[in-house]
Amino acid sequence: MSMLQRAWRWVDERLHIEDDVNEAMYHPIPRGESYADFLGFAAVFVFINQFITGILLASSYAPSTALQDGLPYAYWSVKHIMSTPWGHYLRSLHYWGASFMVVVVFLHMLRVFYIGAYKKPREIIWMIGTLLFVTVLAFAFTGYLLPWDQEAYWATMVGTAMAGYTPWIGDWITGILRGGLFLSGATVSRFFAIHVLVLPITLILLLLLHIGLVFKLGVTEAEKKLPKDYHQRHVKGRRDIPPGMVPFFPYGVFGMTMTVALTALILFVVAYFYMPGLTDPADPLNREGYEPKPPWYFMFLYQFLKFVPGYYWADVFAIIVVPALAIAALFFLPLYDKNPYRSPARRPVGLATMASVVVVIVGLTYIGMSSTVKPPTSTEVKTNATWSDVSAIFANYCATCHIASNSGGLSLASYESTMKGGDAGPVIVPGKPEESLLWLVINGKPNKANIPPMPLGQQPIPANAIKTIENWIKNGAPK
Amino acid sequence: MAEHRHSGDEAPEGWPEGDTPQEISRRRFMTMAIGFVGGLLALAYGGLGLRFLWPASQKSIQWEEVGTSDEFKVGGQPVLKVTHNQGSEGGAWIVRLKEEGLVAYDMHCTHLQCPYTWAGTSFACPCHGSQFDIHGNVTHPPAPRPLRRRAIKEENGKVYVGGIIS
């Protein structure tokens, strides 16, 4: 007996766990499982990545807004971490890990839904999974603030303001979250404590329960392949495997390892080639006119809110009630879904619902992302400007109000809608820039419709872009 | 024995039957004591946490000097001034109106607290397109309510801004 075996004997003599370990390691699983079935394990891997990189980042990060070299300490420390290539890569791994976490967990949920694995007896595993999903979103939300740059500051200002729409106790919740009326060093300390203490403990406890129950109940696909009397006939620690099945070790573990290897490879490569930067340090006065926008995984919510009419209770409904109902609908799914079948072919309503939800979320995310301001594509003046030149300018500077929505009845989304104009009538008079309402407002000139200078509340469009639009109108506004 | 028990004296399911009533009330007492002590400790720590994290009242913001009276003339444009709210930097748009005199608006949009700016003829928010007139009234949704006003006063030619009052 080797040293290791003797040590194991010593432990097992006292704890009697050999049977349980064998049961866990060698229980039968179906042959040829899809790699999609291992997505949950990929999520565990990404969490481990967040855990390790998070501890390393926390060893250099300072959750404070006191000034250090004229910069808020939190911002300064992140900049300091990023000042070496390894530090920058470390932050990149953590930054991208957050996005991977959201994606992998979402795909894992889709897969579990698709194969009906949330049905009896695994309802509780699904419910714990829903709580894990919410925990992951809370991780993303609290971590986003910590670099204390403009992006972080304003996304969190808006995110915590949303909690303010909770009826009756909204202002109080926002106050508790921020540790004051608005964001300050107190908010950073609070978010840091939640991000590195509260959420990791919550996630680890839920995860142990989640995975422990999967081991206890076995995977769904194994159920139908096991002989009916299997559990009666076999004692724990079995190594004999029914036909058509394979032992969890090494088959399942191999599949998991390959899924992890693939996930890790993509993460390492993406984190290497797309290192995150920092925007300017948080400026509570927003002197530079930074336009707040959420991280991509909350983009669908941001876009959704643009469709909400401006009434207090409509906002309460959109910001509080709809998300709360959505989470409740996820959480209680196994209880109200009475369809006994697991096979996708026999669950048309369920799958149609899932597909619509995915289409809506992906669609809103896409519209939301394409409506935010992008850096100008070209700064040179076009003399023979056509619709494609000016529509690129509109997409950069006017999209939030006039492409994603139709403020003042005006949509700049297509040539036809642009020529049609808005509530104040046509905005383009071909050949005559000085009579075109659009030209007047982007130049901040007085006009009959009394429309304020555009883009509203922001820096004017660069002079070259205005000149291109002017040339386009002069040339008769060609398509 | 069982027929003499009150419903509350019944042993919880799984407990051995046939114990004396004294034994059962002893168990009841211990169960309640466990619940009581557990509940008390939970309340104590919960209360401690809440008291510690409770946000300070927004009315407690003290007067802060932001400029001089002659900076703000009737008919002038609104000016953004820095203020310090509960330790965090913030700001107020200040303008002297003909009818109302000096007013200060908190610099955050009443929709989702993005920073709006003065766009020549109205206040405009870049996030979701809300607009307000110079009196702070909503002229374009989605903002659900007028701009929040902050206390403002003039003393000896100086202008002071205080807490949010609306």
Side-chain angles (χ1 to χ4, degrees):
Chain A
M1 249 195 321
S2 75
M3 220 20 196
L4 211 60
Q5 279 170 317
R6 278 220 301 281
W8 174 243
R9 281 286 135 255
W10 187 91
V11 170
D12 193 50
E13 244 171 57
R14 282 150 187 84
L15 305 179
H16 312 291
I17 50 172
E18 185 164 17
D19 283 352
D20 299 301
V21 171
N22 282 340
E23 161 82 8
M25 290 308 281
Y26 301 105
H27 68 273
I29 60 166
R31 186 181 283 283
E33 265 197 287
S34 158
Y35 278 108
D37 292 336
F38 300 124
L39 277 168
F41 201 74
V44 173
F45 160 72
V46 182
F47 174 65
I48 293 171
N49 172 77
Q50 295 307 83
F51 200 75
I52 296 171
T53 54
I55 290 172
L56 293 173
L57 287 171
S59 70
S60 281
Y61 173 78
S64 158
T65 57
L67 293 185
Q68 166 87 355
D69 298 342
L71 293 171
Y73 208 161
Y75 182 88
W76 182 91
S77 64
V78 173
K79 223 177 146 163
H80 178 71
I81 289 169
M82 287 162 64
S83 64
T84 64
W86 280 106
H88 200 174
Y89 189 57
L90 177 70
R91 180 177 174 229
S92 188
L93 280 176
H94 197 72
Y95 171 95
W96 280 106
S99 289
F100 269 59
M101 197 77 188
V102 175
V103 172
V104 173
V105 168
F106 186 67
L107 291 177
H108 173 49
M109 291 177 89
L110 282 183
R111 172 69 184 175
V112 169
F113 183 89
Y114 180 75
I115 61 173
Y118 58 92
K119 301 198 172 203
K120 194 181 172 188
R122 294 178 185 76
E123 298 98 321
I124 297 168
I125 304 184
W126 169 271
M127 290 168 149
I128 296 169
T130 316
L131 297 181
L132 280 164
F133 181 57
V134 174
T135 310
V136 165
L137 293 181
F139 257 119
F141 181 66
T142 50
Y144 205 74
L145 173 70
L146 302 181
W148 200 247
D149 60 352
Q150 282 282 71
E151 202 170 27
Y153 182 92
W154 289 106
T156 306
M157 180 70 88
V158 172
T160 46
M162 287 171 76
Y165 278 91
T166 313
W168 303 292
I169 53 167
D171 287 343
W172 181 81
I173 294 179
T174 304
I176 283 269
L177 283 172
R178 292 176 176 171
L181 195 48
F182 297 112
L183 305 194
S184 66
T187 322
V188 179
S189 310
R190 271 168 203 220
F191 274 43
F192 185 66
I194 295 171
H195 191 77
V196 307
L197 293 170
V198 179
L199 293 177
I201 294 168
T202 310
L203 190 126
I204 288 170
L205 289 179
L206 289 173
L207 196 57
L208 287 177
L209 211 54
H210 190 69
I211 296 174
L213 289 176
V214 173
F215 270 101
K216 180 160 170 54
L217 297 181
V219 294
T220 314
E221 299 293 299
E223 226 164 72
K224 49 192 172 213
K225 296 200 171 147
L226 287 174
K228 279 218 172 68
D229 61 340
Y230 187 79
H231 291 288
Q232 284 77 48
R233 158 156 89 77
H234 285 76
V235 289
K236 281 182 171 179
R238 61 185 175 252
R239 292 196 188 197
D240 53 332
I241 303 294
M245 303 186 84
V246 287
F248 174 68
F249 185 87
Y251 292 85
V253 177
F254 177 76
M256 288 177 168
T257 309
M258 288 304 111
T259 315
V260 166
L262 184 67
T263 314
L265 185 71
I266 303 174
L267 175 62
F268 294 167
V269 169
V270 170
Y272 182 80
F273 284 105
Y274 301 93
M275 300 250 198
L278 275 176
T279 52
D280 291 334
D283 172 16
L285 284 187
N286 199 30
R287 295 174 189 87
E288 300 288 324
Y290 172 78
E291 184 175 333
K293 59 176 188 307
W296 68 266
Y297 36 82
F298 290 128
M299 198 55 96
F300 70 98
L301 200 55
Y302 163 85
Q303 184 60 30
F304 170 60
L305 292 187
K306 289 186 188 166
F307 300 130
V308 178
Y311 306 106
Y312 174 75
W313 286 103
D315 277 322
V316 171
F317 182 74
I319 294 171
I320 304 294
V321 179
V322 172
L325 283 180
I327 288 169
L330 267 186
F331 186 83
F332 291 112
L333 167 72
L335 302 189
Y336 64 78
D337 179 4
K338 302 278 187 211
N339 184 336
Y341 296 107
R342 287 218 181 88
S343 155
R346 306 184 88 154
R347 294 158 51 221
V349 179
L351 287 187
T353 312
M354 174 184 112
S356 340
V357 169
V358 172
V359 166
V360 167
I361 289 182
V362 172
L364 284 176
T365 304
Y366 177 77
I367 302 173
M369 290 182 81
S370 49
S371 74
T372 56
V373 181
K374 291 179 246 18
T377 41
S378 160
T379 49
E380 58 185 291
V381 180
K382 289 266 170 79
T383 39
N384 295 319
T386 62
W387 166 248
S388 78
D389 297 314
V390 292
S391 71
I393 297 170
F394 295 157
N396 279 333
Y397 300 101
C398 322
T400 308
C401 304
H402 294 297
I403 291 180
S405 61
N406 302 344
S407 278
L410 175 64
S411 166
L412 300 175
S414 72
Y415 179 78
E416 288 71 25
S417 64
T418 304
M419 299 311 287
K420 188 172 137 267
D423 296 341
V427 295
I428 305 288
V429 181
K432 296 175 182 163
E434 294 79 5
E435 291 174 25
S436 301
L437 188 55
L438 188 137
W439 184 87
L440 290 171
V441 299
I442 60 176
N443 280 292
K445 293 194 187 292
N447 55 78
K448 281 184 207 144
N450 271 329
I451 289 171
M454 296 280 167
L456 204 47
Q458 293 176 63
Q459 305 289 326
I461 298 176
N464 285 354
I466 292 183
K467 195 78 190 155
T468 300
I469 295 175
E470 188 179 312
N471 290 338
W472 174 66
I473 300 176
K474 260 187 198 155
N475 297 341
K479 188 162 181 181
Chain B
M1 194 80 81
E3 62 271 18
H4 299 304
R5 286 177 189 159
H6 299 294
S7 60
D9 288 341
E10 276 164 26
E13 215 175 309
W15 284 20
E17 280 297 316
D19 285 326
T20 60
Q22 288 88 345
E23 183 65 20
I24 286 158
S25 61
R26 182 171 292 138
R27 284 177 190 166
R28 248 176 73 76
F29 168 76
M30 289 195 284
T31 310
M32 282 168 66
I34 293 166
F36 180 73
V37 172
L40 204 63
L41 286 175
L43 270 179
Y45 280 100
L48 177 71
L50 270 183
R51 181 65 197 85
F52 186 71
L53 298 174
W54 200 278
S57 162
Q58 50 180 254
K59 303 267 190 317
S60 69
I61 304 171
Q62 289 168 352
W63 291 108
E64 202 176 333
E65 190 187 324
V66 293
T68 54
S69 293
D70 50 8
E71 283 181 60
F72 310 102
K73 301 221 159 58
V74 174
Q77 302 277 307
V79 183
L80 180 61
K81 290 289 184 179
V82 183
T83 62
H84 299 81
N85 315 295
Q86 300 172 2
S88 65
E89 223 181 55
W93 285 92
I94 300 172
V95 63
R96 194 186 295 276
L97 298 173
K98 204 172 158 191
E99 315 83 25
E100 300 168 73
L102 213 47
V103 291
Y105 304 114
D106 178 69
M107 61 166 281
H108 301 94
C109 175
T110 55
H111 180 228
L112 286 170
Q113 303 193 343
C114 283
Y116 61 83
T117 52
W118 177 247
T121 54
S122 64
F123 292 108
C125 179
C127 284
H128 303 88
S130 296
Q131 289 169 41
F132 309 85
D133 64 18
I134 201 162
H135 302 279
N137 297 317
V138 180
T139 53
H140 193 279
R145 51 154 293 162
L147 293 176
R148 288 181 184 276
R149 293 194 175 200
R150 296 183 57 173
I152 189 162
K153 67 174 182 184
E154 288 178 274
E155 263 173 27
N156 304 326
K158 288 191 175 124
V159 176
Y160 299 84
V161 168
I164 290 177
I165 49 174
S166 75

